[in-house]
């Protein structure tokens, strides 16, 4: 919803969280959403099949490769990418509707998606890179999940690539302690909401 201070209202923002797999991004996202009713998760379109317990339009919008390609051709996505052989994309209309209503939108996308989203909405996007304390710590976390060794190696290789793009983001949060990282993330969101460029009606002085 719009935040009002006298005659001032606020346009919503896009909060992008990117991280190597295993850095704790999903847990941080869930905690942030649970504590903040003015933040909504962007639901992506994907060509991958639903996993157990996933519901269409709640976890993802599931589409065939043909349907996805047609949506790309019609310009329906703010960003889209091929990730490990499956396509993912962010629908343009739902995001713009929320931003105009003053609602903030949380994105769980990689650095490629972040680049595209920032090009599409340069004044609306805040990027946060979540990183583990080290690659060794990341490997320990992936091993604790009991992933297959081949999967761990693939994700470690991908992590190095992801990590190399951390400098493109507005903020970097090291997830060594979960509560501290969550507090840092909440502080980023609060400060970003107060940015002058997101306020409208600044010419009006409340009386």
């Amino acid at each position: 919803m719009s935040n009002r201070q006298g005659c001032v209202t606020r346009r919503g923002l896009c909060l992008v969280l990117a991280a190597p797999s295993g850095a704790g991004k999903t847990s941080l996202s869930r905690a942030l959403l649970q504590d903040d009713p003015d933040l909504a998760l962007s639901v992506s379109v994907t060509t991958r099949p639903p996993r157990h317990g996933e519901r269409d339009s709640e976890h993802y919008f599931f589409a065939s490769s043909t349907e996805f390609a047609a949506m790309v051709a019609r310009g329906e996505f703010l960003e889209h990418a091929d990730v490990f052989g499956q396509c993912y994309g962010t629908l343009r209309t739902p995001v713009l509707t929320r931003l105009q209503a003053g609602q903030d939108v949380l994105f769980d996308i990689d650095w490629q998606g972040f680049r595209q989203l920032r090009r599409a909405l340069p004044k609306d996007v805040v990027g946060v890179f979540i990183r583990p304390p080290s690659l060794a710590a990341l490997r320990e976390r992936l091993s604790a999940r009991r992933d297959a060794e081949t999967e761990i190696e693939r994700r470690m290789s991908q992590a190095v690539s992801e990590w190399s793009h951390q400098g493109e983001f507005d903020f970097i949060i090291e997830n060594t302690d979960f509560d501290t990282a969550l507090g840092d993330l909440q502080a980023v969101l609060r400060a970003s909401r107060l940015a002058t460029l997101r306020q409208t009606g600044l010419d009006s002085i409340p009386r």
Side-chain angles (χ1 to χ4, degrees):
M1 64 180 180
S2 299
N3 294 343
R4 289 191 171 274
Q5 299 174 350
C7 298
V8 177
T9 60
R10 181 177 67 80
R11 178 175 171 82
L13 62 89
C14 299
L15 182 66
V16 176
L17 302 187
S21 178
K25 177 180 61 174
T26 300
S27 297
L28 286 168
S29 297
R30 288 173 179 168
L32 193 64
L33 287 164
Q34 184 175 357
D35 291 342
D36 197 323
D38 292 333
L39 184 66
L41 180 66
S42 174
V43 179
S44 300
V45 179
T46 183
T47 58
R48 75 160 173 78
R51 294 170 182 160
H52 179 71
E54 288 184 335
R55 291 180 290 275
D56 187 57
S57 78
E58 180 179 342
H59 298 94
Y60 285 96
F61 295 106
F62 296 99
S64 67
S65 297
T66 301
E67 291 170 334
F68 194 95
M71 296 169 82
V72 171
R74 292 194 297 266
E76 295 185 23
F77 293 124
L78 285 168
E79 63 83 24
H80 62 90
D82 185 308
V83 182
F84 300 138
Q86 300 291 350
C87 295
Y88 296 81
T90 299
L91 290 169
R92 182 182 304 274
T93 299
V95 172
L96 294 182
T97 298
R98 282 174 166 162
L99 295 182
Q100 290 165 2
Q103 186 175 33
D104 304 314
V105 186
L106 179 66
F107 293 81
D108 179 355
I109 55 181
D110 66 6
W111 62 269
Q112 299 174 81
F114 169 65
R115 276 185 178 178
Q116 292 182 53
L117 193 62
R118 173 154 279 177
R119 282 198 297 268
L121 301 170
K123 294 184 178 180
D124 294 322
V125 178
V126 177
V128 181
F129 189 85
I130 309 294
R131 70 183 187 192
S134 66
L135 285 174
L138 181 62
R139 180 178 288 276
E140 288 180 8
R141 293 178 186 181
L142 293 174
S143 297
R145 299 194 318 195
R146 298 184 179 179
D147 290 346
E149 188 60 32
T150 54
E151 180 66 12
I152 290 174
E153 291 303 323
R154 182 177 70 84
R155 292 191 180 276
M156 288 299 298
S157 176
Q158 184 69 17
V160 172
S161 175
E162 290 276 351
W163 215 316
S164 69
H165 294 278
Q166 62 180 336
E168 299 179 25
F169 290 79
D170 303 294
F171 301 92
I172 296 175
I173 294 176
E174 187 171 292
N175 186 15
T176 301
D177 174 77
F178 180 83
D179 290 337
T180 300
L182 178 59
D184 290 342
L185 189 54
Q186 291 168 332
V188 166
L189 179 56
R190 285 195 299 270
S192 299
R193 284 170 167 166
L194 297 173
T196 303
L197 63 84
R198 294 190 181 87
Q199 314 302 316
T200 60
L202 292 176
D203 294 335
S204 301
I205 300 176
R207 298 183 184 278

